[in-house]
Amino acid sequence: MTPGRPVPPPLAKPLPDLNNSTDAATAATLAAAYGATSSDSGLVPLTVSRRAPKEDDVEIAIEFCGLCHSDVHATRGEWGAQNYPLVPGHEIVGRVSRVGSAVDDFAVGERVGVGCLVDSCRECDSCLDGLEQYCENGTTGTYGAKDARNGDSITQGGYSSSIVVDRNYVLRIPEGMDPAAAAPLLCAGITTYSPLNHFEVEEGDAVGVVGLGGLGHMAVKIAKAMGAEVTVFTTSDAKFAAARELGADHVILSTDPAAMEAADRSLDVIIDTVAAPHDLNPYFRTLRVDGALFQLGLPSEAMPPVNPGSLIRRRIAYAGSLIGGIAETQEMLDFCAEHGVVSDVEVVGAEQLNEAYDRMVAGDVKYRFVLDASTLGSPAEKADV
């Protein structure tokens, strides 16, 4: 097991029979949506104008969109000022409804997905290496971001009936995957797959997962599919049974000093998904020489200080990881399809979105909410955004 960078596979294979007529990309459309009009408005019905597909664009009729905790932060203005109205959603699954004149690798009717990115500079070293998430000139997020290639319009996300995205940022959803359960893979799935893939986790390795929420449950499933022995750390003994149901080999109550001491030098890599301040030093002690702890959760407040001695004495790496590039996301989807891995989801209708947000904040979901886009209704005659 050696840390390294995966070689990005091709984004997609060309298809022989495509609907690619020039008449298919001549008109803008209106989409039904739910979004926020202010930081305290909650989610309300909106109508979004979607551009006509340009030559490299794919128009998608959205079927499902996952609800991410970052959607809550963004719509409620908890991450700074936002451009309202704002339609969130970056875990999008749907069917291709139109393609631009230069698109020759996606066909009308094909099931596809869109994750957290809809553009990047495409010229920096990171983009050229298939690491668009680390674009040195800044990525374009699926919602709430200025879209430089489209007149600096603000991107609007997947809580809507349709979206138009450049083909270079569209993923193919493998046949046979449950589309609702596949939606969170486009954020939670790739966020946990990428560091495990980067560290080249394989059969016989020992992986720790801190936290058993939306990210944590995907980390358990993916690590097990890679052949690892998985240990879950939790602050709640009520989650022991759930962790084992997901496939965890061991579950440790992180507030139990004796249990933590017994795990000394037992792990090769830890995936930390907790987004609240917590002390990392006890976890470092569970790592073997040349182990690594990847931080995925992003606390809003300062973390307790790291003891450098914990790192130095075992040549431990403390690293961060951010989603994944487009090629790696496709690789993740194909891997999950091969191993039967999807997210555990609760599907909700548009009228349940605000309740789902409150439940997410309270931790009352097992493990991801997904919006059924068919419940959004019809767009109004005039766009709100």
Side-chain angles (χ1 to χ4, degrees):
M1 180 179 63
T2 306
R5 175 178 296 171
V7 177
L11 174 63
K13 296 179 179 179
L15 298 173
D17 298 315
L18 302 172
N19 183 338
N20 197 24
S21 68
T22 55
D23 293 338
T26 58
T29 57
L30 295 176
Y34 263 62
T37 57
S38 69
S39 62
D40 59 0
S41 69
L43 297 173
V44 298
L46 296 170
T47 295
V48 177
S49 177
R50 296 299 192 188
R51 68 178 183 267
K54 300 189 298 185
E55 63 176 7
D56 288 320
D57 281 341
V58 174
E59 181 186 70
I60 302 165
I62 297 173
E63 297 174 294
F64 298 98
C65 184
L67 278 60
C68 180
H69 209 120
S70 60
D71 300 344
V72 179
H73 292 307
T75 56
R76 293 180 176 179
E78 293 169 355
W79 282 350
Q82 298 290 329
N83 292 292
Y84 295 104
L86 177 65
V87 175
H90 57 212
E91 301 175 353
I92 301 166
V93 171
R95 296 279 188 181
V96 175
S97 53
R98 290 191 291 178
V99 295
S101 60
V103 176
D104 62 359
D105 53 354
F106 290 101
V108 169
E110 185 174 7
R111 180 166 278 146
V112 295
V114 177
C116 301
L117 307 178
V118 293
D119 205 357
S120 60
C121 82
R122 313 183 195 185
E123 298 176 351
C124 69
D125 288 344
S126 292
C127 285
L128 295 176
D129 282 346
L131 299 170
E132 296 92 344
Q133 75 273 33
Y134 301 122
C135 176
E136 294 153 33
N137 295 304
T139 58
T140 302
T142 305
Y143 66 86
K146 284 188 177 181
D147 189 350
R149 296 185 207 272
N150 291 284
D152 281 343
S153 60
I154 302 301
T155 57
Q156 303 294 339
Y159 295 11
S160 58
S161 56
S162 69
I163 194 169
V164 178
V165 179
D166 186 290
R167 63 151 302 280
N168 291 289
Y169 299 82
V170 177
L171 291 308
R172 183 166 282 107
I173 304 298
E175 287 298 324
M177 263 192 164
D178 178 338
L185 298 180
L186 295 161
C187 178
I190 184 57
T191 297
T192 50
Y193 177 88
S194 187
L196 292 168
N197 189 40
H198 179 74
F199 207 78
E200 298 185 357
V201 167
E202 59 189 5
E203 187 172 358
D205 291 332
V207 172
V209 177
V210 183
L212 198 65
L215 287 176
H217 98 287
M218 288 308 312
V220 172
K221 289 189 174 192
I222 291 172
K224 286 298 294 182
M226 290 176 170
E229 180 179 340
V230 176
T231 297
V232 168
F233 295 95
T234 177
T235 58
S236 171
D237 53 12
K239 290 192 174 182
F240 274 49
R244 292 196 173 97
E245 287 174 5
L246 291 167
D249 300 283
H250 313 285
V251 189
I252 294 176
L253 190 65
S254 59
T255 55
D256 181 347
M260 292 296 288
E261 184 176 354
D264 184 71
R265 297 179 186 264
S266 63
L267 302 174
D268 297 297
V269 60
I270 294 174
I271 304 298
D272 188 335
T273 69
V274 176
H278 56 292
D279 187 2
L280 296 175
N281 294 293
Y283 299 107
F284 290 134
R285 290 191 284 273
T286 69
L287 288 167
R288 297 167 178 155
V289 172
D290 286 332
L293 187 150
F294 283 93
Q295 186 74 45
L296 304 185
L298 184 61
S300 57
E301 300 174 10
M303 293 274 282
V306 167
N307 177 7
S310 299
L311 309 180
I312 292 170
R313 282 190 287 272
R314 299 183 190 177
R315 199 162 59 187
I316 288 171
Y318 175 38
S321 185
L322 176 67
I323 52 172
I326 300 302
E328 190 178 35
T329 304
Q330 187 65 58
E331 176 186 314
M332 176 275 304
L333 288 168
D334 295 339
F335 173 89
C336 288
E338 179 183 353
H339 292 87
V341 173
V342 289
S343 183
D344 289 9
V345 302
E346 180 179 337
V347 178
V348 297
E351 72 284 354
Q352 298 171 287
L353 282 170
N354 288 302
E355 178 188 355
Y357 268 27
D358 290 338
R359 287 179 57 193
M360 265 199 289
V361 172
D364 178 25
V365 57
K366 192 178 178 180
Y367 290 90
R368 301 285 286 201
F369 287 116
V370 174
L371 168 67
D372 178 353
S374 70
T375 65
L376 288 168
S378 301
E381 295 183 0
K382 183 179 179 181
D384 299 295
V385 57

